[in-house]
Amino acid sequence: MGILNFGFDNIELWRSQEMQLVQLMIPAESAHDTVAALGDVGLLQFKDLNSDKSAFQRTYANQVKRCDEMARKIRFFHEQVEKAGMTVGLRAVPDKGFNMDELEGKLEELEAEMLEANGNSERLARSYNELGELQLVLEKAGSFFDRARSEAQAESFGERSYSVPEAMDAPLLESALPSAAAHAGRLGFVAGLIPQEKLNGFERLLFRATRGNMFLRQTPVGSVKDPASGELVEKHVFVVFYAGERARTKVLKICEAFAANRYPFPEDATRQRQMHGEVGARLRELETTISAGLHHRGSVLQNIAFNLDQWATQVRREKAVYHTLNKLSMDTSRKVLVAEAWCPLAAKPRVHEALRQAAQASSTQVSTVLQPLLTADQPPTYFQTDMFTNCFQAIVDAYGVARYREVNPAVFTIVTFPFLFAVMFGDFGHGLLMMAFAAYLLINEKALLKQKLDEIFDMLFGGRYCIALMATFSIFTGLIYNEFFSMPMTLFGGTHARCFINGVVDEAVTDLRACPELHGEVAFPKGMPPYPFGVDPAWHGTKSELPFLNSMKMKMSILLGVVHMNLGILMSLFNNLYFKDRLSTICEFVPQMIFLNSLFGYLCIAIVYKWLTAKTTDLYHVMIYMFLSPGTVDEAGYLFPGQAGLQVFLLLIAFAAVPWMLFPKPFIIKKRHEASQRQRSMYDVVGFDGDEDEEARRGLVNPSSHNSAPAAAAAHGGGDHGHGGHFDFSEVIVHQMIHTIEFVLGAVSNTASYLRLWALSLAHSQLSAVFYDRVLMMTIGLNNPLAMMIGECLHQCVRGGVRCGVMHSIRLLVSLNSSELRFSLGLVDGTGAC
């Protein structure tokens, strides 16, 4: 690397860990303990050696089924614990626990106990609810009959006192009167409860079915627990009177159709009172029984909830072990399991120690044999992260994983992601609020790590270090923008500008915004230095504030974007040098740098030159007519002498860079492939098998080398173009064409997309200013203390809500700017495997 090293190789996260393919010969009797110990290390990626077999044909399929069944029981316990309103306990120090057979028996026993307790509880609750409804029927229907008897007795007393026989020969004794009941059919009745919403339809259908030959009495009883569902339902007690057996059959069918609960009701008042007392006693007994059952069920659930998390972890661990064992191949004697896994070289001592401990724990006489394998396969990508870098690595991996040993974009994302966020979110006050939230997360880090957080807060807690960096950069850019909740600050003193009227400083004018009304101009006195840091507060509130800030932030966004894109292309050079890929350096890196900087690099130089010379040249005009009329520069687009010739030269080399990226590399790759084919044919003529040397040339993973650059050179672009030895020239041409078009269009579109930094920064500052002027200041102008309090509350709420909403949208856009750019402009390939 030499000059371009910069010490990056000393950063652990700069490149992925060096990997080695190893083979493990594991004795069958210690296979479970060995895989479990390797799983605790967590640094091996096993290859599936049984990919041709289905899940049911593998060796440990039955053990996986047992784990699935135990996981189902644990989910059942989770549901029961949540229904009971309990929380799953977390043990500070996990117990040793059960082995798989003991845990399976324990879970089966507890499930049977819970099912029995639930069944008994449901049956008792149903009986209790039914008895409760029966008690209501006895009370309400009994009142119907009591009222009817009292009315009948009153009528009978009145007839006996005042009635006179119509004929002189009419009998005086009641026994001699003809019985009306003898001529009428026998009357019957049905009593029960029905939901309130079904009552009207129930009554109409009874009337139609019996053709009006029925009598219905009903009364509401309020909310009652339904015996079938256990839910509170508004119900009515009803009594249906009918005559005849056919009417009874119809009434019973209608009650069944409307889900009306029927209950026995005796006609005799003495029997009713006796039955009411029996039901009350039975209800008290059931209350005692249900209370005891709930207490027992609660104690069982409490014990389950205390151990549930540990059991769930143990079952997941066992299932992961057997899933891994199913990837291993069994030898013919079924005494040894053969495994292949990718292992980081730095983790081999830990792996050997885990194998030694597993052999001691299983008391096996033969230990596991670990030996390296040579392969041409591309190793997986593994980055060793910590709590600080994990968030930024996740952002990069969401858009693509770097190939093996490529430079890691997360190293730069640690700075670029929060800084680009702060460019859009620059406000000193808002930055302090965000820093306060980040400080809360960091101070309570240990306590929050032990808690179970909800999804949104867990996401925020995972990005706590990123939030802290964003807050830090937001405070910095807030100082540069000189904004504190959209108000200017005077941390570095007041403005040095003064109001000049007729060429003389008027010290009486303290508000520079009034200077134009006095026919003066705002300028700096001779020899007076500019504002020491950030934007001069004199710009605030003036008519030229918005055009000035727009121009400054827009040009700053373009400068940051072009520098960022150059950084991405420069990182591709680090990859090319590491993999010794001179072809990609000459045919991709060089023309890409020429194309990008001959157009947009020139624009950045023009911006800086315009700032330094205070020229009023329109840069839009410069860039447009650079393409429309090359070689000519009018007065509106003039910057410096020799500008026309320089612009023509830059256009020519930019256009020349496109075919430079497109054509040379595919033809050189084709020529190299033909030379290798001729060399192979010469080996075949002399009878020498050159397969081994060819595989080594294509990139064997050599564990003994200092680095594995030769291993991935072919996959990176200097070999057979990632086709595993198969060469197709048309495919190479198409791939290079796509890469070239993607870069050319991406250079233009990404430069334009960086203007979102300016647009969202403007939106953030202007929204804050609108809320300040239209909500807070308007209520202050009313000179009403109550209105001022309401305005301040509204100002804080609206500002906080919009701030949070804009913050999340900006974070999404920043992640797009900081990740999409690198992958599209060549920092990493983005097609690696984790």
Side-chain angles (χ1 to χ4, degrees), residues 124 128 280-296:
L124 290 174
Y128 183 83
R282 179 63 178 156
L283 283 173
R284 288 190 292 273
E285 292 177 4
L286 281 177
E287 285 180 359
T288 305
T289 306
I290 290 173
S291 177
L294 290 177
H295 183 268
H296 172 69

Side-chain angles (χ1 to χ4, degrees), residues 79-146:
E79 293 174 359
Q80 297 300 313
V81 169
E82 290 176 358
K83 286 182 180 179
M86 300 180 182
T87 56
V88 177
L90 297 176
R91 291 181 181 270
V93 180
D95 293 341
K96 183 178 180 181
F98 307 97
N99 59 37
M100 185 175 178
D101 296 330
E102 292 174 349
L103 181 59
E104 186 178 21
K106 182 69 174 177
L107 293 177
E108 188 173 354
E109 177 185 349
L110 289 174
E111 184 188 29
E113 186 175 359
M114 283 304 304
L115 290 174
E116 183 180 2
N118 289 343
N120 292 335
S121 178
E122 290 176 2
R123 286 192 294 271
L124 290 174
R126 185 182 182 91
S127 300
Y128 183 83
N129 294 334
E130 288 177 350
L131 287 174
E133 288 193 346
L134 176 56
Q135 191 176 40
L136 289 173
V137 169
L138 291 173
E139 292 175 357
K140 300 299 181 179
S143 64
F144 294 160
F145 280 84
D146 291 341

Side-chain angles (χ1 to χ4, degrees), residues 187-231:
L187 289 176
F189 62 89
V190 174
L193 279 87
I194 188 170
Q196 181 178 353
E197 65 270 11
K198 298 181 180 180
L199 181 62
N200 293 333
F202 178 69
E203 185 174 1
R204 286 195 300 269
L205 189 57
L206 282 174
F207 184 84
R208 293 174 182 174
T210 59
R211 297 182 181 179
N213 295 321
M214 65 90 193
F215 179 67
L216 174 67
R217 293 292 302 272
Q218 54 85 17
T219 184
V221 293
S223 297
V224 180
K225 275 195 174 182
D226 188 70
S229 62
E231 298 178 356

Side-chain angles (χ1 to χ4, degrees), residues 558-579:
I558 294 176
L559 290 174
L560 291 174
V562 174
V563 170
H564 200 195
M565 288 188 286
N566 275 284
L567 174 65
I569 302 175
L570 181 63
M571 292 306 101
S572 68
L573 176 63
F574 281 91
N575 284 333
N576 296 336
L577 295 177
Y578 180 82
F579 293 112

Side-chain angles (χ1 to χ4, degrees), residues 1-10 14-15 405-407 412 570-581 585 706-707 709:
M1 300 278 290
I3 299 175
L4 295 176
N5 189 3
F6 299 121
F8 286 134
D9 288 334
N10 298 325
W14 178 242
R15 296 191 187 274
R405 301 297 289 169
E406 280 187 332
V407 293
F412 300 98
L570 181 63
M571 292 306 101
S572 68
L573 176 63
F574 281 91
N575 284 333
N576 296 336
L577 295 177
Y578 180 82
F579 293 112
K580 297 180 175 59
D581 189 2
T585 301
H706 174 69
N707 59 53

Side-chain angles (χ1 to χ4, degrees), residues 155-168:
E155 290 180 3
S156 174
F157 179 76
E159 290 176 358
R160 290 181 181 179
S161 302
Y162 304 107
S163 62
V164 179
E166 296 179 358
M168 293 299 294

Side-chain angles (χ1 to χ4, degrees), residues 386-633:
D386 52 26
M387 289 191 296
F388 178 78
T389 58
N390 182 62
C391 168
F392 301 99
Q393 189 65 56
I395 293 173
V396 173
D397 291 345
Y399 290 90
V401 179
R403 286 198 195 183
Y404 178 65
R405 301 297 289 169
E406 280 187 332
V407 293
N408 186 10
V411 175
F412 300 98
T413 304
I414 294 173
V415 176
T416 59
F417 184 94
F419 179 72
L420 291 179
F421 171 88
V423 170
M424 295 181 279
F425 194 68
D427 189 287
F428 189 80
H430 290 163
L432 289 177
L433 293 179
M434 194 184 303
M435 180 60 77
F437 178 66
Y440 165 77
L441 295 178
L442 294 175
I443 293 172
N444 299 279
E445 182 179 48
K446 293 183 179 179
L448 293 173
L449 283 172
K450 299 176 182 178
Q451 299 179 14
K452 188 174 183 180
L453 308 175
D454 58 45
E455 185 177 358
I456 296 179
F457 192 78
D458 184 60
M459 179 186 66
L460 294 174
F461 179 70
R464 56 194 179 278
Y465 293 102
C466 182
I467 295 174
L469 285 177
M470 289 192 297
T472 303
F473 284 116
S474 295
I475 293 173
F476 172 72
T477 53
L479 291 174
I480 292 179
Y481 297 158
N482 201 358
E483 288 188 1
F484 182 84
F485 295 124
S486 76
M487 293 296 297
M489 300 180 294
T490 56
L491 294 178
F492 303 97
T495 180
H496 298 163
R498 296 293 183 267
C499 180
F500 285 80
I501 299 178
N502 297 325
V504 180
V505 176
D506 190 349
E507 297 291 347
V509 180
T510 57
D511 188 356
L512 298 180
R513 290 176 293 183
C515 186
E517 299 176 0
L518 300 175
H519 305 289
E521 63 177 4
V522 178
F524 287 95
K526 186 174 295 186
M528 184 68 69
Y531 196 69
F533 188 84
V535 176
D536 196 314
W539 288 100
H540 181 72
T542 62
K543 293 182 180 180
S544 57
E545 177 189 13
L546 191 58
F548 167 73
L549 292 179
N550 273 346
S551 176
M552 181 195 73
K553 292 182 179 180
M554 180 174 63
K555 293 179 174 64
M556 182 182 66
S557 299
I558 294 176
L559 290 174
L560 291 174
V562 174
V563 170
H564 200 195
M565 288 188 286
N566 275 284
L567 174 65
I569 302 175
L570 181 63
M571 292 306 101
S572 68
L573 176 63
F574 281 91
N575 284 333
N576 296 336
L577 295 177
Y578 180 82
F579 293 112
K580 297 180 175 59
D581 189 2
R582 294 182 60 190
L583 178 61
S584 296
T585 301
I586 297 173
C587 297
E588 288 183 353
F589 168 76
V590 174
Q592 286 175 358
M593 291 294 289
I594 291 174
F595 180 85
L596 180 66
N597 290 287
S598 62
L599 299 180
F600 303 106
Y602 171 68
L603 174 61
C604 294
I605 293 174
I607 290 173
V608 175
Y609 182 81
K610 180 181 176 181
W611 282 346
L612 294 175
T613 59
K615 287 183 175 291
T616 58
T617 306
D618 187 358
L619 296 182
Y620 290 112
H621 188 88
V622 172
M623 295 305 295
I624 290 174
Y625 283 93
M626 178 179 176
F627 289 90
L628 294 182
S629 58
T632 59
V633 176

